[in-house]
């Protein structure tokens, strides 16, 4: 007797090279047109239309019509989580690209994992929040401590409000390039959004890479300092976090 959902169809869809490139490009949580995705996948517009139709039919993508244009994005966070897990397995198994992109070092340092911060910076921040007692492991996820709620409030994030979202508040997300965890969940998304709103980080136009401004680098150093054993207090971290973008 065969039990559980039939995964072969989904696996076959993701396993196609062109469709895999499309899904990876959409991990940046940005909507792209068929023309843009055809360029990413290296196929014709006619071919990409067939690929997109299959991905839509399987519920892996969603589409939004805006005037004459149709914009495609990942259907939801579950699809993004599946893709990130596959990237972890592929990296561990040595299934890496023969010719690395020039963006590879930047991608490993800081990138968007659908809607939260990943890469070396994301892992370091997650570990700093744990070491400083702002987050605490709880079962398969994480919980925010009282001190953590105060720290996030200093960054302009109301953890009680974020917790009302219909998703896990915070969870460890295994980082494919670092092989350690970064911060996922609603809180991870809120933290990345604050970095972007303050101008401390900006997304690369054509990839998942994140670039940090001078102010953003200063804030990150202050946030990470206690975890690294450096003589920085929470007051220093708060001061750095309150530096306005462009100052």
């Amino acid at each position: 007797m065969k039990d559980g959902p039939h995964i072969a169809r989904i696996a076959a869809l993701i396993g196609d090279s062109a469709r895999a490139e499309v899904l990876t490009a959409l991990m940046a949580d940005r909507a792209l047109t068929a023309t843009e995705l055809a360029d990413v996948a290296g196929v014709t517009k006619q071919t990409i239309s067939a690929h997109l139709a299959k991905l839509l039919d399987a519920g892996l993508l969603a589409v939004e019509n805006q005037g004459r244009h149709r914009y495609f994005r990942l259907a939801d966070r579950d699809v993004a989580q599946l893709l990130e897990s596959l990237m972890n397995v592929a990296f561990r198994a040595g299934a890496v690209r023969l010719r690395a992109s020039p963006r590879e070092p930047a991608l490993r340092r800081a990138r968007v994992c659908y809607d939260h911060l990943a890469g070396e910076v994301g892992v370091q921040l997650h570990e700093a929040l744990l070491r400083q007692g702002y987050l605490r492991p709880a079962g398969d996820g994480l919980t925010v401590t009282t001190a953590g709620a105060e720290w996030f409030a200093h960054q302009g994030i109301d953890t009680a409000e974020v917790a009302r979202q219909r998703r896990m508040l915070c969870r460890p997300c295994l980082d494919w390039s670092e092989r350690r965890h970064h911060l996922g969940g609603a809180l991870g998304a809120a933290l990345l959004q604050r970095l972007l709103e303050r101008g401390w980080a900006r997304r690369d136009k054509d990839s998942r890479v994140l670039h940090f401004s001078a102010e953003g680098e200063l804030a990150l150093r202050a946030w990470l300092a206690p975890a690294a054993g450096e003589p920085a207090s929470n007051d220093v971290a708060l001061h750095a976090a309150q530096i306005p973008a462009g100052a």
Side-chain angles (χ1 to χ4, degrees):
M1 181 179 292
K2 299 177 181 179
D3 299 319
H6 187 53
I7 67 172
R9 177 180 173 230
I10 299 299
L13 283 169
I14 297 175
D16 176 87
S17 179
R19 291 193 288 267
E21 294 294 348
V22 165
L23 292 168
T24 300
L26 295 174
M27 279 288 287
D29 193 24
R30 278 179 171 163
L32 299 175
T33 65
T35 299
E36 290 169 326
L37 291 171
D39 185 58
V40 166
V43 299
T44 66
K45 293 181 181 179
Q46 182 177 4
T47 301
I48 201 66
S49 294
H51 285 312
L52 293 174
K54 291 178 180 180
L55 293 171
L56 285 168
D57 183 61
L60 295 176
L61 295 186
V63 63
E64 180 179 343
N65 295 316
Q66 193 172 91
R68 295 182 302 167
H69 299 287
R70 303 179 78 208
Y71 291 89
F72 299 86
R73 64 169 63 250
L74 296 185
D76 52 36
R77 286 182 291 272
D78 286 343
V79 176
Q81 188 173 342
L82 169 63
L83 295 172
E84 187 73 11
S85 296
L86 285 173
M87 290 176 188
N88 275 298
V89 174
F91 187 73
R92 187 177 66 224
V96 297
R97 299 179 190 274
L98 295 178
R99 181 175 295 178
S101 163
R103 290 189 296 254
E104 188 79 9
L107 191 71
R108 289 171 177 267
R109 182 176 186 273
R111 65 181 179 273
V112 175
C113 178
Y114 190 59
D115 63 358
H116 54 270
L117 176 64
E120 179 185 359
V121 173
V123 167
Q124 289 178 346
L125 181 56
H126 172 255
E127 293 178 351
L129 294 173
L130 285 169
R131 290 175 185 175
Q132 294 176 58
Y134 298 153
L135 298 177
R136 186 172 62 231
D140 293 333
L142 299 165
T143 186
V144 182
T145 64
T146 300
E150 294 176 356
W151 184 87
F152 279 102
H154 286 320
Q155 317 316 321
I157 299 172
D158 184 339
T159 55
E161 181 178 345
V162 175
R164 286 193 282 270
Q165 296 183 26
R166 293 167 59 178
R167 61 185 294 195
M168 184 177 288
L169 174 61
C170 49
R171 64 175 182 83
C173 182
L174 186 59
D175 195 282
W176 65 258
S177 60
E178 291 296 303
R179 305 302 301 156
R180 307 200 309 274
H181 292 98
H182 56 249
L183 178 62
L187 193 57
L191 190 56
L192 174 59
Q193 188 59 34
R194 290 300 291 159
L195 289 170
L196 296 171
E197 288 173 350
R198 286 175 165 170
W200 293 349
R202 63 175 176 82
R203 296 187 181 193
D204 191 75
K205 181 180 179 182
D206 301 316
S207 77
R208 293 199 283 156
V209 170
L210 282 169
H211 301 281
F212 282 83
S213 65
E215 292 79 19
E217 293 285 359
L218 177 61
L220 283 174
R221 285 200 299 271
W223 291 353
L224 298 173
E230 298 173 11
S233 67
N234 286 341
D235 290 339
V236 173
L238 176 58
H239 174 71
Q242 290 177 331
I243 297 175

